[in-house]
Amino acid sequence: MAKKKPTKAQLRKYKQRRSMFMAILALFVLGLALVVLMQFRANEKPKPYTQDIPEQFVSIYQAAAKEYDIDWFLLAAVHRVETKFSTVEPMISSVGAIGPMQFMPCTFVGWSAGGCPATGGVGDFTDDDLVDPAVIKAHGGYGVDANHDGKADPWNLEDAVFSTANFLADNGAKDGNEKQAIFKYNHSDIYVKDILFYRDQFKQAWNKDIAAK
């Protein structure tokens, strides 16, 4: 007995099911590829950065580290990873982090400031409020007026480095919990690994240079 020829409706339904299956299969393959890629990236060592710490920045790192009782090489590593020692332009990330140390405005001013949760950290406060120490204090932010010019400016390197030291110290670095502090600065295990890699690289090179002298 000959099989009945499928109707147009049946063919259409079959094609829809086939398309859905292929779409699901494609998503599965893509997801698997991303998992493999992320695992590879997690196990990959950051590429060595051959440039020395710029000499003009060392005193700023050291002063901030002394003020907040943390390792100054940690600050150098953050500066290196975030903006390659302020050589990346423009220093504004895709999510709105700004300045040489890439602060989210709301972390700098304080998350109770206007519009912070709703904007994911960019906020809707004014540029004047962003750098106003009184506003920052009122909202519990991490911005610091390190150069005592009346402004805590995330675009000014000295202010930004001291603000980073303030953040890291407050989140565990001054108590030896550097990994915890770094993770809170940027919620990524890879980021933590990169920062500690460069921190150790800079420290070893610096100590070797001191010993040679």
Side-chain angles (χ1 to χ4, degrees), residues 124-143:
D124 57 14
F125 40 80
T126 66
D127 290 342
D128 288 338
D129 285 343
L130 174 67
V131 300
D132 189 333
V135 173
I136 293 170
K137 182 177 180 180
H139 292 293
Y142 288 99

Side-chain angles (χ1 to χ4, degrees), residues 46 74 77 81 178-199:
L74 194 60
V81 171
E178 291 181 337
K179 288 184 179 180
Q180 171 185 295
I182 299 166
F183 186 82
K184 288 187 176 181
Y185 198 83
N186 187 327
H187 292 81
S188 164
D189 290 328
I190 294 173
Y191 181 83
V192 174
K193 184 177 180 180
D194 286 354
I195 293 295
L196 293 177
F197 176 86
Y198 287 111
R199 188 277 309 272

Side-chain angles (χ1 to χ4, degrees), residues 98-129:
I98 58 177
M101 304 301 270
Q102 291 291 278
F103 264 97
M104 290 303 294
C106 289
T107 303
F108 199 82
V109 176
W111 277 80
S112 64
C116 283
T119 61
V122 177
D124 57 14
F125 40 80
T126 66
D127 290 342
D128 288 338
D129 285 343

Side-chain angles (χ1 to χ4, degrees), residues 47-203:
K47 293 180 180 179
Y49 190 63
T50 56
Q51 180 184 340
D52 293 332
I53 300 172
E55 187 177 349
Q56 69 269 28
F57 300 150
V58 172
S59 62
I60 298 175
Y61 303 145
Q62 290 177 335
K66 183 177 181 180
E67 177 72 21
Y68 291 96
D69 194 24
I70 65 172
D71 187 347
W72 73 266
F73 292 103
L74 194 60
L75 298 171
V78 172
H79 194 192
R80 154 62 186 98
V81 171
E82 291 292 356
T83 59
K84 292 186 178 179
F85 298 121
S86 300
T87 62
V88 174
E89 293 293 346
M91 290 188 285
I92 304 175
S93 77
S94 59
V95 296
I98 58 177
M101 304 301 270
Q102 291 291 278
F103 264 97
M104 290 303 294
C106 289
T107 303
F108 199 82
V109 176
W111 277 80
S112 64
C116 283
T119 61
V122 177
D124 57 14
F125 40 80
T126 66
D127 290 342
D128 288 338
D129 285 343
L130 174 67
V131 300
D132 189 333
V135 173
I136 293 170
K137 182 177 180 180
H139 292 293
Y142 288 99
V144 175
D145 175 17
N147 58 9
H148 307 294
D149 66 352
K151 296 180 180 180
D153 187 355
W155 290 97
N156 175 274
L157 180 63
E158 192 171 0
D159 289 354
V161 169
F162 271 72
S163 300
T164 297
N166 184 19
F167 180 97
L168 294 175
D170 189 55
N171 284 280
K174 68 180 178 182
D175 300 316
N177 298 322
E178 291 181 337
K179 288 184 179 180
Q180 171 185 295
I182 299 166
F183 186 82
K184 288 187 176 181
Y185 198 83
N186 187 327
H187 292 81
S188 164
D189 290 328
I190 294 173
Y191 181 83
V192 174
K193 184 177 180 180
D194 286 354
I195 293 295
L196 293 177
F197 176 86
Y198 287 111
R199 188 277 309 272
D200 292 344
Q201 182 183 10
F202 292 149
K203 182 178 291 188

Side-chain angles (χ1 to χ4, degrees), residues 199-211:
R199 188 277 309 272
D200 292 344
Q201 182 183 10
F202 292 149
K203 182 178 291 188
Q204 290 169 9
W206 184 272
N207 290 338
K208 184 178 180 180
D209 185 55
I210 294 298

